[in-house]
Amino acid sequence: MITAERKPLEEIIEYIKPFKRILLLGCNECVTVCSAGGRKEVGLLASGLQMARLKSGTDIEIQQHTLERQCDPEYVEEIVSMIDGADAVLSMACGCGVQQLAMRYKEIPVFPAVNTKFMGASERQGVWAERCQGCGDCLLGITGGICPISRCAKQLMNGPCGGSTTGKCEISEDVDCAWQLIWDRLKALGLTERYLDIMPAKDWRSGGGSGPRKIIREDLAE
Amino acid sequence: MENFEPVIVAFCCHYCAYTAADMAGTQRLPYPANVKIIRIPCSGKIDTLHIVKAFEKGADGVYVAGCLEGDCHFKNGNVKAAKRVAYVQKYLEEIGLESERLEMVNISAGMGHRFAELASTMTEKIRKLGPSPVKAAAAL
Amino acid sequence: MKTESNLEKVLAAGHLAVTSECGPPRGCKPEEVVAKSKFLDGIVDAVNVTDNQTAMVRMSSLAASVIVKQQGLHPLFQVTCRDRNRLAMQADIIGAYSLGIDTMLCLSGDHTKFGDHPQAMNVHDIDSIQLIQMVKDMRDKGIFQGGAELKGSPKMFIGAAANPFADPFELRVMRLAKKIAAGADFIQTQCIFNVPKFEQWMEGVRKMGLHKKCYILAGVTPCKSLGAAKYMANRVPGMDVPKDVVDRMASVPKEKQADEGVAICVETIERLKKVEGVAGFHIMAIEWEEKVEEICQRAGLLPRPQV
């Protein structure tokens, strides 16, 4: 999923300072799963903003709504009727959702209420960790299912570096050495000889090196 | 604010604090009427949103009362509640409310005295802090 | 001979080679590079010039290498993958060779987290092994990494680093094999304090015949003080300083610790000389360059051969 974290309240308050009627929009997808911008977080933020504004003596009206997906035009269309009653939109979706809103509703300011972080997986309740950088040319098939691009602090494709100590990365004891994990997997799978193959320099064009990326499925595209 | 009577919401676990409140009643122990008790099936049932909403709707103080450590009927609901309380305490600071207005307490079903005492100390603490700045602003 | 590198000539002639290090200054102080060079003049076969070591901004390794060269020494130009992409690195390599630098070391680089610009983006467009491959292709095939023809190849003697003390230990020899397969001509190891563990690693190296495919320079460092020994033991990732070394430093009074550190270093060199496959020494006397001569003298590494 795409993970996110709420921005500091102070920053959000600053964005919406000039506006009275706010449409606060959550998203039911990734940000709901990582507890950053779903229905509940919308409620929490609305309540917090309400109180902060009351305290500062300025009026605010907050309409709360959570869309099925903010990154799809069909769902973004749903709020046509609500937009008229708002001076600004505050989105708790990832950056994709915020932009979808901004592109569709050109006349109204749209602000992000979360910081979009990374593509990750849930390690345990309440803990999410980065797993993919969307390099566009997946290596997992040859690295034992562990990604060196997203999980090695130096993106080494022929690791581990000299800083790997007892399975941990030199940058922090909280970070596993990706190459230790890869090596353990290759051993478990009986594929250790594969380690000796030199992985060639990566072609970053697929990873954003050639500008914004797009996927077009001819059979589906209209 | 000379006549300030704080409104305090106490989310009380059915298995401990709520029973303790009952006991305080049967023992005829006086405690301030400022404390409004809301029974919950376990302190772990408390949600961050419940707490924040209580403040938004005018509470000057809130506390969540769960079982003593290790005594939760649902294993660790009280531990979860304590984490949520800590989370909301930080959020209150962001909003501009004193985090002392919110507390997590642990109590057992037999502690009628302790319940009455907690209700009094919490009421006194909030009385000293004064009305919630949110409520105060809304009243203007 | 693949290159004109003095280091290659010394090694090819079968001498135990000696290299040392010069960390460029954190400011426009070329005189510091000159001063450090003076300490090493006639003492070593090549001088490593570090590339923003420990992720702290310093005078560029290319510029400092040129200054070292101007002093009549042989710079060993270090390049890390942390700060530059493949375009910048190739440009620097061409530039370095054009300025008479013919020996280099290919590194991944310390993470920015450890330096004074933790806010910076780590580049890592390619890794150290891919860098080795790139330099080798530039030299031997006359092509850029992107495949285009290169007019006037940089004839670099290519070095790489190896850390026998990092984990997983069983991978350390295989990783060396990868670096050699990629094109490394020589290796400089991490500082050796734990000689038995190094010997164990060298056993694996010999088993794969790697010592015959490239020159291995064993890294050594004199401890300046007990504090320095403790710091390396506890705080530097991938360093293995056994307790007996720390204890030995602690056993002498503070004013004698520097001498003890030099003594340990000299003894380590003597022990390493007996290890089959060791082709020379890389003496890392960090901010203590003036001691390199004494160490070399006492370890019987002087005078340096003229090749």
Side-chain angles (χ1 to χ4, degrees):
Chain A
M1 84 191 89
I2 293 172
T3 61
E5 261 181 337
R6 177 174 58 77
K7 280 181 174 289
L9 201 60
E10 204 184 343
E11 184 184 343
I12 300 172
I13 290 170
E14 195 55 36
Y15 282 137
I16 61 166
K17 208 173 201 169
F19 308 102
K20 183 168 179 254
R21 298 171 307 162
I22 305 296
L23 174 56
L24 177 56
L25 287 176
C27 175
N28 250 339
E29 292 285 341
C30 315
V31 288
T32 293
V33 184
C34 69
S35 302
R39 200 178 303 270
K40 188 193 286 183
E41 291 75 28
V42 164
L44 270 174
L45 181 59
S47 197
L49 289 173
Q50 196 75 253
M51 284 192 263
R53 281 284 277 261
L54 259 175
K55 229 189 121 223
S56 66
T58 45
D59 237 12
I60 189 169
E61 288 166 27
I62 303 174
Q63 269 189 97
Q64 303 175 38
H65 189 67
T66 299
L67 292 175
E68 199 51 39
R69 266 202 297 285
Q70 281 193 32
C71 56
D72 260 334
E74 291 88 331
Y75 297 110
V76 166
E77 206 55 40
E78 270 179 25
I79 54 164
V80 164
S81 57
M82 299 179 194
I83 283 284
D84 288 339
D87 304 323
V89 178
L90 191 54
S91 165
M92 296 199 86
C94 69
C96 311
V98 177
Q99 293 184 61
Q100 195 75 281
L101 291 172
M103 295 295 287
R104 169 64 184 82
Y105 301 104
K106 297 190 191 322
E107 310 297 320
I108 188 166
V110 178
F111 300 104
V114 302
N115 289 320
T116 307
K117 306 290 270 199
F118 50 78
M119 282 188 270
S122 179
E123 280 190 344
R124 56 179 199 275
Q125 170 84 8
V127 179
W128 298 272
E130 184 161 19
R131 292 287 181 266
C132 177
Q133 284 190 359
C135 75
D137 182 17
C138 192
L139 297 168
L140 290 171
I142 46 174
T143 54
I146 312 283
C147 174
I149 307 291
S150 60
R151 302 188 66 179
C152 169
K154 298 178 186 171
Q155 301 193 149
L156 298 186
M157 273 163 273
N158 297 281
C161 77
S164 175
T165 312
T166 59
K168 298 295 172 188
C169 174
E170 67 178 24
I171 65 158
S172 165
E173 281 178 16
D174 299 329
V175 178
D176 290 325
C177 168
W179 276 95
Q180 175 81 54
L181 297 177
I182 292 170
W183 177 243
D184 291 346
R185 279 281 290 166
L186 291 179
K187 272 202 295 189
L189 298 170
L191 295 170
T192 50
E193 78 289 348
R194 185 179 278 177
Y195 176 78
L196 285 170
D197 299 337
I198 294 175
M199 259 199 255
K202 200 167 171 65
D203 181 343
W204 289 109
R205 277 175 293 188
S206 61
S210 56
R213 294 171 279 175
K214 195 178 262 189
I215 297 169
I216 301 173
R217 268 278 300 265
E218 298 292 354
D219 57 330
L220 299 174
E222 283 170 1
Chain B
M1 287 295 170
E2 265 175 33
N3 302 320
F4 168 55
E5 280 303 330
V7 175
I8 296 170
V9 176
F11 291 100
C12 295
C13 160
H14 164 80
Y15 289 95
C16 53
Y18 193 79
T19 312
D22 237 8
M23 182 173 280
T26 49
Q27 291 178 338
R28 307 208 172 272
L29 298 170
Y31 63 85
N34 305 63
V35 176
K36 322 286 179 206
I37 295 175
I38 296 177
R39 182 169 68 155
I40 48 178
C42 168
S43 61
K45 181 67 189 162
I46 195 73
D47 195 284
T48 47
L49 196 52
H50 299 143
I51 305 173
V52 172
K53 280 282 172 195
F55 282 107
E56 188 192 338
K57 299 292 176 200
D60 299 296
V62 173
Y63 62 96
V64 179
C67 300
L68 298 177
E69 253 180 74
D71 278 354
C72 175
H73 276 243
F74 305 97
K75 280 175 89 174
N76 57 1
N78 49 356
V79 177
K80 290 179 174 167
K83 286 186 179 172
R84 290 175 202 152
V85 165
Y87 178 84
V88 177
Q89 281 175 329
K90 279 192 209 142
Y91 191 41
L92 291 180
E93 292 285 349
E94 275 195 277
I95 295 167
L97 293 180
E98 303 90 341
S99 55
E100 298 95 312
R101 291 183 185 275
L102 172 63
E103 242 185 74
M104 173 78 202
V105 297
N106 298 87
I107 189 168
S108 83
M111 294 173 161
H113 276 282
R114 172 101 177 104
F115 184 86
E117 190 187 298
L118 272 171
S120 304
T121 49
M122 189 70 185
T123 305
E124 277 324 298
K125 185 170 91 171
I126 301 299
R127 201 189 294 280
K128 278 201 188 103
L129 277 171
S132 146
V134 170
K135 196 162 78 173
L140 293 176
Chain C
M1 296 283 283
K2 297 170 183 167
T3 71
E4 289 292 307
S5 164
N6 181 62
L7 181 62
E8 184 179 12
K9 285 178 192 160
V10 170
L11 288 163
H15 301 290
L16 277 175
V18 180
T19 56
S20 191
E21 200 169 272
C22 163
R26 282 175 52 75
C28 308
K29 298 202 155 223
E31 64 277 12
E32 285 188 14
V33 183
V34 173
K36 284 184 179 183
S37 299
K38 291 264 183 298
F39 288 125
L40 302 171
D41 196 3
I43 309 297
V44 297
D45 305 314
V47 180
N48 284 52
V49 182
T50 53
D51 181 11
N52 285 344
Q53 69 184 94
T54 63
M56 308 269 274
V57 179
R58 291 162 192 278
M59 178 189 292
S60 77
S61 58
L62 175 50
S65 290
V66 171
I67 299 174
V68 168
K69 174 107 188 146
Q70 286 165 352
Q71 309 313 306
L73 286 85
H74 303 286
L76 201 165
F77 172 48
Q78 293 197 186
V79 177
T80 73
C81 300
R82 180 196 55 228
D83 307 334
R84 279 161 287 182
N85 71 3
R86 62 190 87 179
L87 274 81
M89 283 195 269
Q90 291 178 100
D92 279 354
I93 290 161
I94 292 172
Y97 191 72
S98 302
L99 291 165
I101 296 159
D102 51 22
T103 312
M104 63 177 284
L105 189 72
C106 305
L107 302 162
S108 303
D110 296 318
H111 197 271
T112 48
K113 184 192 160 146
F114 299 106
D116 61 350
H117 287 74
Q119 313 86 343
M121 175 68 111
N122 285 276
V123 179
H124 299 295
D125 173 24
I126 56 176
D127 67 20
S128 58
I129 288 181
Q130 293 157 351
L131 169 58
I132 295 166
Q133 218 166 26
M134 180 171 86
V135 184
K136 186 179 161 63
D137 285 349
M138 289 170 82
R139 180 186 74 190
D140 298 346
K141 293 187 187 163
I143 54 168
F144 285 111
Q145 199 281 330
E149 191 195 338
L150 163 63
K151 295 189 177 72
S153 298
K155 299 291 180 195
M156 286 285 182
F157 190 46
I158 307 167
N163 185 357
F165 309 106
D167 291 321
F169 182 68
E170 55 191 334
L171 261 191
R172 291 297 149 183
V173 173
M174 287 169 86
R175 183 156 154 84
L176 175 67
K178 279 182 93 162
K179 290 195 171 180
I180 294 168
D185 300 311
F186 73 96
I187 297 292
Q188 291 176 319
T189 77
Q190 173 68 285
C191 319
I192 301 160
F193 288 101
N194 188 343
V195 178
K197 188 146 187 195
F198 175 74
E199 282 171 336
Q200 201 186 334
W201 179 74
M202 281 302 291
E203 209 179 298
V205 169
R206 289 192 299 269
K207 214 179 254 171
M208 286 184 81
L210 300 175
H211 63 307
K212 299 210 164 112
K213 293 185 186 161
C214 94
Y215 302 105
I216 295 168
L217 308 188
V220 291
T221 286
C223 295
K224 222 172 178 174
S225 64
L226 173 62
K230 279 187 176 162
Y231 180 79
M232 285 191 280
N234 303 323
R235 305 297 289 272
V236 183
M239 282 278 272
D240 182 352
V241 185
K243 193 172 170 292
D244 55 308
V245 173
V246 179
D247 289 347
R248 194 170 149 189
M249 289 298 288
S251 72
V252 297
K254 206 165 177 145
E255 64 278 9
K256 295 236 166 99
Q257 281 170 359
D259 291 340
E260 195 66 16
V262 170
I264 295 172
C265 184
V266 171
E267 286 166 37
T268 307
I269 294 175
E270 292 297 349
R271 286 172 74 184
L272 293 170
K273 276 187 190 172
K274 299 190 184 86
V275 179
E276 188 192 344
V278 170
F281 301 96
H282 178 45
I283 304 168
M284 289 164 270
I286 302 144
E287 297 303 320
W288 212 20
E289 291 78 8
E290 64 271 29
K291 278 284 167 189
V292 177
E293 181 170 12
E294 183 190 335
I295 293 167
C296 289
Q297 191 69 53
R298 286 169 63 181
L301 296 168
L302 292 181
R304 299 309 309 147
Q306 297 304 310
V307 287

